[in-house]
Amino acid sequence: MDYIEKGTKAFNKANWALFLAGFITFANLYVSQPLLPTFAEEFNVSPAIASLSLSVTTLALSISMIIVGSLSEAWGRKSLMTISIFAASVLTIALAFSPNFETILVLRVIQGVVFAGLPAIAMAYLGEEIAPSSLGIAMGLYISGNSVGGLSGRVIIGTLTDLYNWQVGMIVLGIISLIISVLFIWMLPNSKHFTARPLQIKALTKSLIQHLKDPSMLCLFGISFVLMGSFVTLYNYIGFKLMAPPYNLSATIVGWIFVIYLVGTFSSAWFGSLADRFGRQKMLLLAIAIMLAGAIITLQGLLLLKIVGITVFTFGFFAAHSIASGWVSRRATHDKAQASSLYLFFYYFGSSVGGTAGGVFWMHFGWVGVIAMITVFLVIACVLTFVLKSIIAKQRLITNL
């Protein structure tokens, strides 16, 4: 079989194409997060309502991923990914011409649907086309494109909003994304190992139900919900805190705070290896404890301590996410790709619910309220981790009888 091997021209082109596609997707997905204070002021809406510009997108994404992943089995990988990134780019430009906040929300829902075309399919493409011996590095490069894109989109929009306005930021990011989309089409090799299959809705539904009936999988899905809900909540409202007195930071500076994401590149890989050595439960609980410690540190008034707290929190989040997502693959006894899609469904659903609910706590109780909500979420994650371990122990006992 003619798989793409590391060191070949095709390997380099495929990996850079998916790196750039991941960059586009996540740069545009999180583009509204640094703009929440700007939207609240310009459109005269509450912080919770402003947060919907991200929440409705991740909600639409979470639902669409399961559907689009199935459609790609019949319609092909590259074609759907191409439609996804081109449509997302055009919609970002369209956002700049929105006459009101309601239009922004409608466009962001549509973006959420089209965004699903990349994360739902890219990993399947890599698994089919890349040689198994080269798959690890290929997957790592794709995921790094996601994180670099998420970071870059926030920095670009924050800086251009300060220099000009958010509309200019949207247009520039959209044009950059369109140019990269053209490069993606040219660089990504066509699928050689994909075979179209008819959609089997009945089998898909049956498999979904089986995953949702597994109590251990439900615990992992619940953990993903509260972890991402906590993470997005902190980043959604830290901008409101830091752009207000006594800090009065600019949108540019707040945008650059997202550089802290880079610590997650280290913590996710490190804690993944530690989990193999010392056990997933112990390391997951440690990662959650690190998140909680970081959240509490942000309650301090000194700006430097707030930045330290955000860094510690981010370090813990990516560590916990890497362990929980890897645990899903080990626990799934069938249709592992579908199990991962369900994990991501709850992950982004948690982003939508937590990100908006955090706005209510912010409005009524300030930053203390935001941290209180995050604390409750993290306590739930700890409880679910203990329950998961108990379920696994019982299942092993029954198996050995």
Side-chain angles (χ1 to χ4, degrees), residues 51-62:
S51 73
L52 290 175
S53 61
L54 177 59
S55 296
V56 297
T57 312
T58 52
L59 178 61
L61 169 63
S62 67

Side-chain angles (χ1 to χ4, degrees), residues 3 17 28 72 75 101 134 144 159-160 174 203 345 380:
Y3 289 104
N28 289 278
S72 73
W75 295 353
F101 191 67
S134 307
S144 68
T159 302
L160 290 176
F345 166 79
I380 293 171

Side-chain angles (χ1 to χ4, degrees), residues 29-313:
L29 174 61
Y30 289 106
V31 72
S32 66
Q33 196 170 47
L35 297 177
L36 300 186
T38 303
F39 285 164
E41 180 179 356
E42 182 169 329
F43 296 106
N44 194 28
V45 296
S46 69
I49 297 300
S51 73
L52 290 175
S53 61
L54 177 59
S55 296
V56 297
T57 312
T58 52
L59 178 61
L61 169 63
S62 67
I63 296 170
S64 303
M65 280 188 66
I66 299 174
I67 300 171
V68 172
S70 300
L71 288 177
S72 73
E73 300 292 349
W75 295 353
R77 311 297 194 201
K78 184 175 179 178
S79 57
L80 278 178
M81 287 191 285
T82 300
I83 292 170
S84 173
I85 58 176
F86 264 102
S89 304
V90 171
L91 286 166
T92 294
I93 296 174
L95 282 166
F97 301 95
S98 301
N100 50 51
F101 191 67
E102 290 76 11
T103 303
I104 289 177
L105 293 184
V106 170
L107 290 175
R108 290 291 283 167
V109 169
I110 299 171
Q111 267 195 320
V113 174
V114 301
F115 280 141
L118 190 80
I121 300 170
M123 289 187 178
Y125 174 92
L126 288 171
E128 291 167 349
E129 304 301 326
I130 304 296
S133 60
S134 307
L135 185 57
I137 188 172
M139 199 70 76
L141 186 57
Y142 163 66
I143 292 173
S144 68
N146 296 350
S147 59
V148 172
L151 163 63
S152 301
R154 292 169 169 99
V155 171
I156 290 170
I157 200 71
T159 302
L160 290 176
T161 297
D162 259 358
L163 293 176
Y164 303 100
N165 53 54
W166 66 268
Q167 290 92 341
V168 170
M170 291 286 189
I171 292 171
V172 170
L173 181 60
I175 292 173
I176 292 172
S177 299
L178 281 174
I179 293 171
I180 293 175
S181 298
V182 174
L183 288 174
F184 170 82
I185 295 176
W186 173 68
M187 295 176 71
L188 187 71
N190 292 321
S191 297
K192 292 184 178 180
H193 305 286
F194 169 77
T195 303
R197 294 181 296 178
L199 290 176
Q200 297 178 323
I201 303 301
K202 185 176 180 180
L204 175 66
T205 303
K206 181 180 179 181
S207 178
L208 280 171
I209 293 173
Q210 287 176 337
H211 284 309
L212 293 172
K213 283 184 176 181
D214 184 336
S216 65
M217 297 297 284
L218 285 176
C219 286
L220 287 167
F221 297 155
I223 289 169
S224 74
F225 178 94
V226 292
L227 286 179
M228 188 56 169
S230 302
F231 185 68
V232 167
T233 296
L234 185 136
Y235 273 96
N236 270 7
Y237 301 102
I238 194 64
F240 287 96
K241 181 69 175 176
L242 297 181
M243 291 175 73
Y247 309 106
N248 297 312
L249 297 185
S250 66
T252 299
I253 299 300
V254 171
W256 276 99
I257 286 174
F258 291 98
V259 171
I260 292 171
Y261 266 46
L262 295 178
V263 302
T265 304
F266 169 72
S267 67
S268 58
W270 186 37
F271 266 68
S273 63
L274 289 177
D276 290 334
R277 291 173 57 192
F278 301 109
R280 288 174 179 77
Q281 184 197 28
K282 289 180 181 178
M283 300 316 300
L284 181 54
L285 289 172
L286 176 58
I288 294 169
I290 292 172
M291 288 180 69
L292 182 57
I296 292 172
I297 293 172
T298 66
L299 291 172
Q300 303 299 313
L302 190 65
L303 178 60
L304 178 59
L305 285 177
K306 284 199 183 304
I307 301 302
V308 169
I310 297 169
T311 304
V312 172
F313 180 89

